[in-house]
Amino acid sequence: MNSLIWIPLLPLIGTLVPLFSARYSRTACAFLTAGLPALALFLILSKAPEIFDGQAFHAAIPWIPSMGLELAFRLDGLVLLFALLILGIGLLVILYARYYLSDQDSIGKFYSYLIFFMFAMLGVVMSDNLIQIWVFWELTSISSFLLISFWGHKSDARKGARMALAVTGAGGLALLAGLLILGQVVGSYSLQDVLDSGDLVRASASYPVIVVLVLLGAFTKSAQFPFHFWLPNAMAAPTPVSAYLHSATMVKAGIFLMARFYPTLAGTELWFLIVSMTGLATFLLGGYLALFQHDLKGLLANSTISHLGLITLLLGMGTDLALVAAIFHIINHATFKASLFMAAGIIDHESGSRDMRQLNGLWKYMPYTATLAMVASSAMAGVPLLNGFLSKEMFFTETLHQGSLGSLSWMVPVMATLGGVLSVAYSTRFIHDVFFNGEPINLPKTPHEPPRYMRVPVEILVFLCLVVGMFPGFVVGDLLYAASGAALNDFVPYYSLAVWHGLNFPLLMSFIALIGGLFLYYNRQHLFKFQAQFPASDPKLVFEGIVQQISRRAEQFMAIVDNASLQRYIYFVLSLTIVMSAIPLLDLNTTAGRRPEIPVDALSITAAVLLTISGLATVLWHRKRMVALITLSVVGLVVTLAFAKFSAPDLALTQLSVEVVTIILLMLALFFLPQKTPKESSPRRIVRDLGIAAMLGGIVGTISYALMTRPLDTISDFFLANSKTGGGGTNVVNVILVDFRGFDTLGEITVLGIAALGIYKLIARMKLFMPSSDLNGRPWSTDSHPILLAVISQSLLPLALLVSAYIFLRGHNLPGGGFIAGLITSVAIIQQYVAHGVDWMKSRMKLDYQVMIGSGITISALTGVGSWFFDRPFLTSWFDYFYLPAIGKFELASAMIFDLGVYLTVIGATMLILANLGKLTTSERPVLEEHD
Amino acid sequence: MEGLYAFCVGILTACGIFLTMRGRSFSVVVGLTLLSYAVNLFLFASGRLKLDAAAVLGQSENYSDPLPQALVLTAIVIGFAMTAFAVILAMRARADLGNDHVDGRLPSSIETRKSGKQGGQR
C-alpha cells in the first residue's frame, strides 16, 4: 500500500493505544501515545524535500467508482503545512497534557479523543475527494464535542460542547450541500478536477449558491462573525484542547477550506465582498471583545477570533500575495497562540485562577514562564523581530494594494491599523495585568514555576516564534513557497521574506498600531467604564434560549401528532393513504378497461346483496358484539362462496375452515371481553370516520374494478406448463405452495408458528376477570357439555380425520393439501374440546402442540435440506411413480413430506392458540416457568 | 360481474376501515377481519375472474391464474394468526390495563393527560 495512506491511518490505530496503555504510568501512556503520530510525522517529513520541489502525491483506493466514491489522499504543499501543524503541535500537546491533567482525569480517554481528532483533522486536509473531506470535517466537529465536554460534570463544559457542535455541525450540513452542488457542476468529486475547473464553476448558474454554502461551512468552523460566539464558550475545554483544537488546528479548518478552494471559488466580486467583509468585521470585533475579557482564556479566545478574521480578510482581498500572507500568518498564529494557551494553562494550573483581576505580579513567582509568555504575546502584538510582525507587515502591505471596495478602499488599511491597535492593547493587557501591576489578590494557591517538562512545549513554540521572526527565509521559506503554490494551483508571485524592508508605509502602520495600542491600554479605565454602560448580553444564554424555544415548538407539534392515541395514529395513516392512492387514480382516464366482463346472474346478485347487508349489519350492530360476530360469519361464508364460484376451490376450502376456527376464537375471546361496546364516539367523529371509510372503500373498489377489466399479463403460464412435468402434480395451486414457491411457504409456516408461540406467551399469567353470568345477569348454563353434542362429535371424529387424510393425500393433484387438511383436523379436535371440556380432553389428548409446531417446521426444512444431498438447490422436489399390486400405480413426491410439515404446523399453531385460550376458562390455566 | 365484485370489495373495505377506527379493541378486531376479507378478495381478483376454470390440470380448457390463489391461500392462514394475535393482545391489554380501549385508557383520561402535558414533560 502507498505510504500516503498510512499517514492518517497511523493516528487512527493510535486512537486505541492510550486506552490500552492507560493502566501503566502516565508518562508511559504519554510516550506510547506519541509513538504512532511521531511515525506519521516522520513519514511526512521524509516526503518534504520532494514537495519543496513542487511535487504532489496522490493515492486512491476505489470504492464505488461510478458514483465518484473513493478513499483518496493527497499530499502537496498546503497539505504538508497543515499536516506539520497538526502532528507537530499535536505531539507537543500530548507532552503538555501529561502534566496538565490531574490524577482524577482519565488520561487514556483524553488521549484517545485527542488522537482521534488528530486523525479526523489529517483526514480533512489530506482528502482528495469532496465527500471525503466532508466526512472528516464532521468527524472533527464530533471529536471537538467530545473534547470540550471532557469535564462532563461541569455545566459550562456540556453547554459549550453542545453549542460548538450545533454551530459547526449546522455549518457542516451547509458545506455538504455546497460540495454536492460543486461536484455536480464539475462532474467529478475528485479534488484535483475541482481545482482545475475554476472557470467552469465561476461561470455556472449555481456559483453563488455554492459560494454561500461552502463559506457557511468555513465561517462556522473558523468562528467568523456572526458565528464567532461558540469559540469563547468552547474554552470550558481542558487547556491542551484549547491550545490544539481551538487555536492551532480545528478552527483553521475553515481557513484551510477557503485556501483549498481558492483557485475554484475565488476571483469574483461576490467572493471578495463576502469573505473580506466578514473577515474585517471578525477581525475588529474579536479584538474589541478581547480587550474586555477578565478571563485569561477568554482573552485568548477572542484574540483567536480576531486573528482568524485577519486571515479571512487576507483570503478575500483577491491578490495572490494576500494568499501568501494568509498562509504565513496561519503558521505564525498557530505557533504563538498555542504557546500562549499553554502558558495560560500553566498559570491556571500553578495559581488556581484565570481571572486577570486576581492574577497580578506573577513575574516574581514564575519569571521563566513569564518571559516565554511575554515573547509569545509580543509576537501576537506584532513586535519586530518576532514572527507575528512579519505576517502583520505583509497584511498591512496588502491592505494598501487592494481595491475591492472601489473608492472606499482606503477604509480597509485604516480599519486594519485599528485592528492592529486593539491587538497591541490586549497583548499588553495580557503581559501587564498578569505579570506586573502589583501583587496577586486572593489566589487559591501560591504561584510557582511548573514542572520542567510542562514548559518544554512552550519553549519549543516560542523558540520557533523567534527564529521565524529573525530568519524567516531560512526557516519557513520553502514550506511557505510550497504551500502557496499548492493553494494557488499556479505559479507563486515574487515576495520578499526579509525582516527589514526599509522605511515604508506598512512600517508606519505598525508603528501607529504599537503606539496606539499602548495608549489605549493606558487609558483602558475610560473604555471599561464606557463598555459597562451596555447591558451585559451572554451569547450562551441567547443560544440556550433559542435551543429551548425550538424544543418547545417541537414539543407542541409532537403533542398534536403524537398524543399516544392509536386512534389518532390510524386516522393519520388512513388520511395519508387516501391522498397517496387517490393521486395516481386521477391520472387514469377511464375506469373500465378493454377486457370483456362476465355477465351477471341472479345468484351472484343475491350473494352480493347478502354480503352487503351482512357487512353493513356488522358495522351497524358492532356494539352488540355477539350479533356482530354472527353477521361477520355470514360475510365469511359469502366470501367462501365467491372463491368457489370464481374457480378457486382450494381457497374456498381454506376460507371455510379458517372461518370456523376464527369464529370459535372470537367467541372464546368475547367470553373475557365486555359483551357490549359503550357508545362514545361523538357524531362528528362518526361522520369523519364514515367519510374516510367511504373514500377508501371507493378507491379500493375502483382499483379492483380497473384491474379486473384490464388484460392480464401473468407469469403463471410457467407454473401451468411445468406443474405436472416439474412438480409432479396437477393441482397447480398446491404445487406452487409446496414446490415452486416452497421457500415462501416455509417462511409462512414459520411465521404461523411464531405467532402461535407469541400468543401462548401472552396467555400465560394473564389475570382475567371471569364473568359468572351474561350481560343481562343470567348465569351461564350448568350443563356446559350436553350429552347429545358429546356423542355426535365423538362419533364424527374418525370421519373428520379420515376426510382430512383424504384431503391431504389428494392435495397434490386435486383441491386440498396440507393447509386445508391441517385446518380440518384442528376443527375436528376443537369440536371435541367444545363437546367434552378441557379436563376430559387432557387425559385423552397427549399431544404437545409446541412440539408439533417445532417438528412441523423441522420436517419441512429438512425436506429442503435433503435436496443438498443430491447436489440440488435447497427445496428441490423429487417425485416418481411406483406400482404395488392391488393398489396400482401411485406417486411418491418429496413435496408430500414438505406438505406434512405444513399440516403439522397448522394443527399445532391452531390448537396451541385455541386450546390454551379455552383452558383459561378452567382451572388448567397455562403457567410459564418462573425463569423468564 | 366484475363491477359487482368490485362493489363488494369496496363495501367490505369501507366496513372494515370504519370498524378499525373505533375505540374498542373488539370492534377493531372485527374490522381487521372484514378488512382481511376485502384484501383477500382483492388479491384474488388480480388474477382476473373466471368461471369453471379451476387451476387443476386436465379439468378444464382455460385455467384461472393459480399464482394469486396460492398467495391468498397462505394469506388466509396468516390472516387467522394475525386476528388471533390481535384478539389475544386485546385480552391481555384488558387484563393488564383494566379497559378494552385501543389507547390503553378511556377517552376521559386522555383529556386530563393532555391538559397535564402542556406544563410538564411526558
Side-chain angles (χ1 to χ4, degrees):
Chain A
M1 206 194 297
N2 196 316
S3 65
L4 211 55
I5 308 267
W6 282 104
I7 296 170
L9 208 59
L10 283 172
L12 179 63
I13 302 167
T15 307
L16 300 173
V17 172
L19 294 177
F20 292 117
S21 59
R23 71 187 73 162
Y24 309 118
S25 77
R26 292 155 65 87
T27 311
C29 181
F31 270 103
L32 287 171
T33 304
L36 289 175
L39 197 59
L41 183 63
F42 174 77
L43 276 178
I44 292 244
L45 286 174
S46 70
K47 305 236 184 233
E50 289 150 279
I51 292 167
F52 290 157
D53 289 343
Q55 286 190 41
F57 298 92
H58 299 265
I61 303 171
W63 179 29
I64 309 177
S66 59
M67 295 181 70
L69 294 180
E70 55 180 3
L71 193 65
F73 293 104
R74 67 187 280 140
L75 185 58
D76 59 18
L78 188 65
V79 177
L80 176 72
L81 165 65
F82 272 91
L84 287 180
L85 287 179
I86 294 162
L87 289 166
I89 297 184
L91 287 169
L92 296 179
V93 165
I94 290 174
L95 175 61
Y96 179 80
R98 148 76 184 84
Y99 295 96
Y100 181 84
L101 290 182
S102 72
D103 291 335
Q104 284 88 39
D105 299 322
S106 161
I107 196 159
K109 194 170 90 170
F110 181 82
Y111 278 151
S112 198
Y113 291 164
L114 202 71
I115 307 297
F116 182 71
F117 165 76
M118 189 185 271
F119 156 71
M121 191 67 203
L122 275 176
V124 171
V125 298
M126 290 187 70
S127 289
D128 206 5
N129 178 294
L130 298 189
I131 311 285
Q132 196 187 328
I133 291 180
W134 180 79
V135 170
F136 283 110
W137 179 277
E138 292 298 62
L139 283 181
T140 60
S141 291
I142 291 166
S143 51
S144 157
F145 171 81
L146 291 171
L147 282 166
I148 299 172
S149 62
F150 181 70
W151 285 327
H153 55 278
K154 293 184 184 169
S155 156
D156 271 4
R158 294 194 303 270
K159 282 182 182 150
R162 198 166 62 184
M163 187 191 287
L165 184 66
V167 175
T168 57
L173 292 180
L175 175 66
L176 175 63
L179 291 179
L180 287 177
I181 302 174
L182 182 59
Q184 288 295 318
V185 169
V186 176
S188 158
Y189 288 101
S190 156
L191 185 59
Q192 194 56 50
D193 292 347
V194 171
L195 293 184
D196 291 338
S197 9
D199 292 331
L200 175 75
V201 173
R202 280 187 291 270
S204 87
S206 351
Y207 173 74
V209 184
I210 298 173
V211 166
V212 169
L213 289 172
V214 170
L215 286 180
L216 264 178
F219 287 171
T220 47
K221 199 79 162 183
S222 284
Q224 296 297 298
F225 177 80
F227 309 109
H228 60 283
F229 56 89
W230 71 264
L231 189 57
N233 286 297
M235 290 301 132
T239 303
V241 176
S242 310
Y244 190 31
L245 273 70
H246 303 128
S247 74
T249 53
M250 191 187 86
V251 288
K252 301 262 169 53
I255 306 283
F256 168 80
L257 200 71
M258 288 189 268
R260 185 82 277 181
F261 288 113
Y262 192 82
T264 311
L265 297 180
T268 62
E269 274 299 298
L270 182 73
W271 169 278
F272 294 139
L273 215 58
I274 299 180
V275 177
S276 64
M277 286 305 108
T278 308
L280 188 60
T282 315
F283 178 45
L284 290 176
L285 184 75
Y288 184 74
L289 289 176
L291 199 52
F292 297 103
Q293 303 297 318
H294 296 305
D295 178 12
L296 214 50
K297 279 177 80 176
L299 185 150
L300 292 177
N302 279 295
S303 120
T304 303
I305 293 175
S306 170
H307 279 273
L308 291 170
L310 186 158
I311 300 171
T312 306
L313 174 56
L314 277 169
L315 287 172
M317 277 182 187
T319 61
D320 288 350
L321 277 176
L323 183 78
V324 177
I327 290 173
F328 192 26
H329 200 65
I330 291 172
I331 305 174
N332 295 336
H333 178 253
T335 47
F336 68 67
K337 192 53 68 66
S339 62
L340 277 174
F341 265 112
M342 290 182 186
I346 290 176
I347 293 166
D348 182 16
H349 201 255
E350 307 306 340
S351 70
S353 172
R354 289 189 336 220
D355 193 325
M356 278 185 280
R357 287 165 296 192
Q358 292 180 309
L359 293 167
N360 291 313
L362 291 190
W363 169 259
K364 269 181 269 179
Y365 300 96
M366 38 172 81
Y368 198 85
T369 308
T371 313
L372 292 173
M374 278 151 62
V375 174
S377 209
S378 309
M380 174 162 78
V383 172
L385 292 182
L386 293 165
N387 59 358
F389 170 74
L390 295 176
S391 45
K392 198 162 270 188
E393 283 289 279
M394 287 172 90
F395 165 61
F396 285 151
T397 313
E398 289 315 306
T399 57
L400 291 168
H401 290 155
Q402 55 76 44
S404 52
L405 289 185
S407 60
L408 290 179
S409 295
W410 61 269
M411 280 187 172
V412 177
V414 172
M415 301 274 203
T417 315
L418 183 61
V421 168
L422 291 169
S423 172
V424 171
Y426 65 69
S427 303
T428 314
R429 182 164 184 223
F430 186 93
I431 296 172
H432 186 253
D433 263 15
V434 175
F435 299 112
F436 305 101
N437 201 17
E439 282 296 307
I441 304 159
N442 292 334
L443 282 182
K445 294 189 211 170
T446 310
H448 55 81
E449 285 284 354
R452 176 73 195 88
Y453 288 102
M454 194 173 182
R455 234 165 30 211
V456 167
V458 192
E459 284 165 0
I460 293 173
L461 289 170
V462 169
F463 175 72
L464 282 175
C465 290
L466 281 166
V467 291
V468 172
M470 285 185 257
F471 317 104
F474 175 69
V475 183
V476 290
D478 284 341
L479 182 62
L480 182 59
Y481 187 83
S484 309
L488 288 167
N489 200 24
D490 205 348
F491 296 108
V492 184
Y494 171 78
Y495 59 89
S496 156
L497 271 182
V499 177
W500 177 251
H501 284 108
L503 286 170
N504 55 12
F505 218 70
L507 191 67
L508 178 67
M509 287 163 78
S510 282
F511 186 69
I512 295 173
L514 216 54
I515 299 298
L518 289 172
F519 178 77
L520 191 64
Y521 176 71
Y522 187 73
N523 292 304
R524 64 188 181 283
Q525 295 308 334
H526 303 290
L527 210 59
F528 278 37
K529 250 182 237 159
F530 173 72
Q531 185 64 17
Q533 295 169 352
F534 294 99
S537 86
D538 188 349
K540 191 154 56 184
L541 294 180
V542 176
F543 180 81
E544 283 294 314
I546 293 171
V547 169
Q548 280 175 15
Q549 188 81 11
I550 291 172
S551 56
R552 238 195 330 273
R553 285 282 146 77
E555 211 168 88
Q556 282 168 3
F557 176 72
M558 288 310 285
I560 298 169
V561 181
D562 171 27
N563 68 341
S565 162
L566 293 180
Q567 258 187 303
R568 173 81 58 100
Y569 301 160
I570 201 150
Y571 164 63
F572 285 136
V573 170
L574 290 174
S575 306
L576 195 67
T577 312
I578 290 180
V579 175
M580 303 294 278
S581 57
I583 289 173
L585 283 184
L586 295 179
D587 294 336
L588 199 65
N589 290 326
T590 55
T591 316
R594 286 172 286 111
R595 197 170 176 274
E597 295 188 31
I598 303 169
V600 183
D601 56 296
L603 195 66
S604 304
I605 294 180
T606 318
V609 168
L610 189 61
L611 182 103
T612 310
I613 289 175
S614 47
L616 292 175
T618 312
V619 170
L620 204 60
W621 290 328
H622 77 272
R623 289 189 292 109
K624 294 176 192 157
R625 295 180 170 182
M626 193 63 205
V627 180
L629 217 55
I630 293 167
T631 51
L632 181 72
S633 64
V634 174
V635 177
L637 290 176
V638 178
V639 170
T640 307
L641 289 177
F643 285 141
K645 171 145 183 103
F646 298 113
S647 322
D650 286 282
L651 290 191
L653 283 171
T654 316
Q655 182 68 55
L656 188 65
S657 23
V658 163
E659 196 54 38
V660 175
V661 183
T662 307
I663 298 298
I664 293 174
L665 170 84
L666 290 181
M667 283 176 72
L668 264 173
L670 202 51
F671 179 70
F672 297 103
L673 289 170
Q675 312 290 309
K676 271 194 175 179
T677 305
K679 198 170 181 172
E680 59 191 5
S681 294
S682 63
R684 257 181 74 183
R685 170 74 65 90
I686 291 191
V687 170
R688 185 195 81 181
D689 292 356
L690 276 176
I692 290 177
M695 286 282 283
L696 269 173
I699 288 172
V700 171
T702 310
I703 296 175
S704 180
Y705 182 69
L707 194 69
M708 283 187 287
T709 51
R710 280 168 172 73
L712 174 66
D713 181 25
T714 175
I715 57 169
S716 294
D717 292 337
F718 170 82
F719 299 130
L720 290 167
N722 290 291
S723 176
K724 180 74 181 164
T725 51
T730 52
N731 181 6
V732 188
V733 177
N734 185 267
V735 176
I736 290 176
L737 283 176
V738 297
D739 191 337
F740 293 130
R741 313 286 308 185
F743 199 57
D744 289 359
T745 309
L746 182 62
E748 312 248 16
I749 58 173
T750 312
V751 171
L752 193 65
I754 292 171
L757 289 174
I759 289 168
Y760 176 71
K761 181 115 171 136
L762 275 175
I763 290 176
R765 287 208 233 127
M766 180 145 53
K767 292 180 194 67
L768 276 172
F769 162 74
M770 221 185 303
S772 57
S773 65
D774 77 353
L775 193 65
N776 301 323
R778 286 177 298 225
W780 299 116
S781 161
T782 47
D783 183 18
S784 50
H785 308 299
I787 185 84
L788 199 62
L789 183 64
V791 170
I792 292 178
S793 60
Q794 211 171 333
S795 47
L796 271 177
L797 179 66
L799 204 60
L801 291 179
L802 193 68
V803 169
S804 79
Y806 170 65
I807 291 275
F808 175 79
L809 286 174
R810 75 170 203 168
H812 217 44
N813 291 312
L814 287 167
F819 274 112
I820 301 164
L823 286 165
I824 292 175
T825 309
S826 307
V827 173
I829 300 175
I830 290 164
Q831 202 179 18
Q832 307 309 310
Y833 273 102
V834 173
H836 297 285
V838 173
D839 296 330
W840 188 88
M841 284 297 286
K842 198 192 162 201
S843 55
R844 288 163 182 81
M845 279 282 289
K846 300 280 186 200
L847 285 175
D848 185 335
Y849 300 123
Q850 294 180 57
V851 174
M852 213 159 165
I853 295 174
S855 47
I857 295 174
T858 313
I859 289 173
S860 293
L862 285 180
T863 316
V865 172
S867 40
W868 284 345
F869 292 105
F870 302 96
D871 285 335
R872 297 288 164 83
F874 187 64
L875 271 174
T876 310
S877 74
W878 162 92
F879 68 93
D880 209 342
Y881 298 92
F882 298 89
Y883 186 82
L884 273 185
I887 296 177
K889 189 178 151 190
F890 66 99
E891 180 192 353
L892 280 181
S894 68
M896 290 186 78
I897 308 175
F898 182 83
D899 222 9
L900 181 68
V902 174
Y903 173 76
L904 290 176
T905 312
V906 169
I907 299 177
T910 319
M911 293 313 300
L912 188 67
I913 297 168
L914 286 172
N916 279 305
L917 194 54
K919 268 185 208 165
L920 283 179
T921 59
T922 70
S923 53
E924 292 286 331
R925 294 183 177 212
V927 175
L928 280 185
E929 283 85 30
E930 281 308 313
H931 61 76
D932 61 349
Chain B
M1 187 71 91
E2 273 80 359
L4 195 67
Y5 188 96
F7 174 77
C8 290
V9 171
I11 285 285
L12 285 184
T13 310
C15 293
I17 295 273
F18 180 79
L19 286 182
T20 310
M21 293 175 84
R22 304 273 57 77
R24 299 297 168 147
S25 51
F26 192 80
S27 309
V28 173
V29 171
V30 172
L32 284 176
T33 312
L34 277 176
L35 203 56
S36 63
Y37 290 148
V39 170
N40 288 341
L41 284 176
F42 180 92
L43 283 180
F44 167 65
S46 69
R48 309 300 184 265
L49 302 183
K50 277 184 184 168
L51 299 175
D52 303 321
V56 179
L57 298 181
Q59 300 261 317
S60 57
E61 299 288 302
N62 184 11
Y63 300 113
S64 60
D65 194 341
L67 188 63
Q69 296 191 18
L71 292 180
V72 170
L73 199 152
T74 49
I76 293 172
V77 181
I78 293 282
F80 163 70
M82 189 204 66
T83 308
F85 200 90
V87 81
I88 303 294
L89 205 58
M91 284 170 58
R92 182 72 194 240
R94 194 198 179 204
D96 291 357
L97 302 169
N99 65 70
D100 68 332
H101 199 278
V102 287
D103 296 344
R105 58 197 178 276
L106 297 175
S108 55
S109 59
I110 296 180
E111 294 307 318
T112 43
R113 183 172 166 277
K114 211 186 270 178
S115 56
K117 195 171 162 182
Q118 300 294 336
Q121 56 195 52
R122 304 188 56 175

